[in-house]
Amino acid sequence: MTSPPSAPEPHGPASGSTQSHAHGHTHSHGPAAPVSKHLRKVIAAVLIPFAAAVVVGLVAFWPGGAPAHERTGVGFDRQTQDGRVTKVVSVNCADVNASQVPATGDTSTAAGQEAVNEQTGKCKKATVEVTSGKDKGRTFVEVVQPDAPRQLREGQGVVVAYAPDAPRDLQYSVTDVDRAFPMALLAGIFALAVIVVGRLRGLMALVALAVSFAVLTLFILPAILQGSNPLVVAVIGASAIMLIALYTCHGLTARTSVAVLGTLISLVLIGLLGSLFIGWAVLSGNTDDNTGLIHGLYPDIDMSGLLLAGVIIGSLGVLDDVTVTQTSAVWELHQADPAMGARGLYRAGIRIGRDHIASVVNTLVLAYAGAALPLLLLFSIAQSSVGTVANSELVAEEIVRTLVGSIGLVASVPVTTALAALVVSADRTGLGAGAGAPAPARTGRGRRRKA
């Protein structure tokens, strides 16, 4: 009769060992903790139709390449070849600028000072050899003025423009220097740094970056040139980039799926706001030489729609960062305190998000301001008022682009945080109902107390 009381004693340590193992195993999953089957079905029911719609859109709007056109010889629309500077000699500017109007000697203006330099300064006469194309080996002479921003040196690689309708001696001219090696070296350093620090995750990020550029160059740009609606093309292309980039970098998990949903909702908001205010502010999207050239070559392109497409694509990269960070924060909070409910997770996550909002919005505004810095300098030189500057279409475009993107970023924080909090709290309930890890631990403690 003494055996029943003593029987549980050997099982006590075993049960304690099981409890310790279960506890350690629960926390060892970290960020990759699985979710319940029910939640996976709910997320799949939302994302699978969306992904299918994106694939259908890609097939329906696939352009099959950019349409051909006759080259205008203006700006980037020129025939170019590779070249190399073989010889550089110094000459008197008066000898090579003999056909120009003589300088008046007035150096009070920039034009007058330039005219004096062209007559009295030392110029360079560079002999350039064409190293690619049908005229490979042909040479021509390029005169470089003393105040030219780009000076040539012997052995330097250059880009030369070809004008077939010009006289033979004037068919080739230097348009730029060859920057292929430093650009390739910088890209290699960037890739190496990403892989060394990020390891496998960094490698996958580079793969996602390559795919994003492929979607941009093979689908978005040619489809717009073919005459498709720029907004529809941008939404389809941005959605494809979002799905590929997020799942490639962060894995096919419920956490990534929540970030995808948050990004999608924010993109819809950005599209609606951008469409409203671009139309309300009467922004044409045709404000500089490049957009003017595009409109001249392809007059059927909706330039205001192209502006809106740029807003959506430009906001996507920062949105991914915000939504993934917020989702990860909520998941980690749940891992640290599994008893925390949806409301507590949302409050804690939104406190993290407020710091993220401040830094990201500042980053976005400064990025756009830096890109438009020469334009802002021109307005500063003209001593224009703030109202005049903001009302000009060039600056108004950047203001709308910045503010619409920032509103989408700000909205993505509470939206993604709420989605993540609802998912992890619902998942906690689902796991608790289904013989989770904590149950054996409580049973083990009960057995020891009864013993």
Side-chain angles (χ1 to χ4, degrees), residues 189-199 201-203 205-206:
I189 294 173
F190 163 74
L192 181 62
V194 170
I195 294 175
V196 168
V197 177
R199 297 186 180 180
R201 190 67 64 88
L203 178 61
L206 293 177

Side-chain angles (χ1 to χ4, degrees), residues 137-296:
R138 179 174 167 181
T139 61
F140 64 96
V141 174
E142 182 83 7
V143 176
V144 183
Q145 302 296 333
D147 53 355
R150 181 177 58 246
Q151 298 293 320
L152 300 180
R153 66 179 186 276
E154 190 171 329
Q156 184 178 31
V158 293
V159 177
V160 298
Y162 175 61
D165 297 332
R168 177 175 174 81
D169 293 341
L170 302 176
Q171 285 182 333
Y172 282 97
S173 61
V174 176
T175 61
D176 211 339
V177 299
D178 185 4
R179 303 181 179 90
F181 178 73
M183 299 297 286
L185 179 61
L186 182 60
I189 294 173
F190 163 74
L192 181 62
V194 170
I195 294 175
V196 168
V197 177
R199 297 186 180 180
L200 180 60
R201 190 67 64 88
L203 178 61
M204 298 310 293
L206 293 177
V207 172
L209 181 62
V211 173
S212 299
F213 272 103
V215 173
L216 182 64
T217 56
L218 299 179
F219 173 72
I220 296 178
L221 299 181
I224 292 175
L225 291 178
Q226 291 282 8
S228 300
N229 188 301
L231 176 58
V232 175
V233 170
V235 169
I236 295 173
S239 300
I241 290 173
M242 174 186 65
L243 290 172
I244 295 172
L246 286 179
Y247 283 118
T248 300
C249 294
H250 305 285
L252 194 64
T253 64
R255 175 186 297 192
T256 307
S257 300
V258 171
V260 168
L261 289 174
T263 305
L264 176 61
I265 294 172
S266 302
L267 281 179
V268 170
L269 177 61
I270 289 173
L272 293 175
L273 286 175
S275 179
L276 172 64
F277 283 95
I278 287 174
W280 198 357
V282 197
L283 299 177
S284 65
N286 188 3
T287 54
D288 57 22
D289 294 339
N290 292 328
T291 53
L293 178 59
I294 293 171
H295 186 64

Side-chain angles (χ1 to χ4, degrees), residues 94-122:
D95 296 335
V96 294
N97 297 324
S99 61
Q100 298 186 8
V101 178
T104 61
D106 180 15
T107 59
S108 60
T109 64
Q113 185 175 4
E114 181 179 353
V116 170
N117 288 336
E118 289 177 353
Q119 292 296 319
T120 61
K122 281 290 186 179

Side-chain angles (χ1 to χ4, degrees), residues 7 13 22 80 107 148 216 264 275 327 330 363 378 412 425 440 444:
T80 59
T107 59
L216 182 64
L264 176 61
S275 179
T327 306
V330 173
T363 300
L378 286 177
S412 69
S425 61

Side-chain angles (χ1 to χ4, degrees), residues 375-392:
L375 177 64
L376 297 178
L377 282 176
L378 286 177
F379 281 107
S380 178
I381 293 170
Q383 297 181 354
S384 302
S385 65
V386 175
T388 302
V389 172
N391 191 66
S392 65

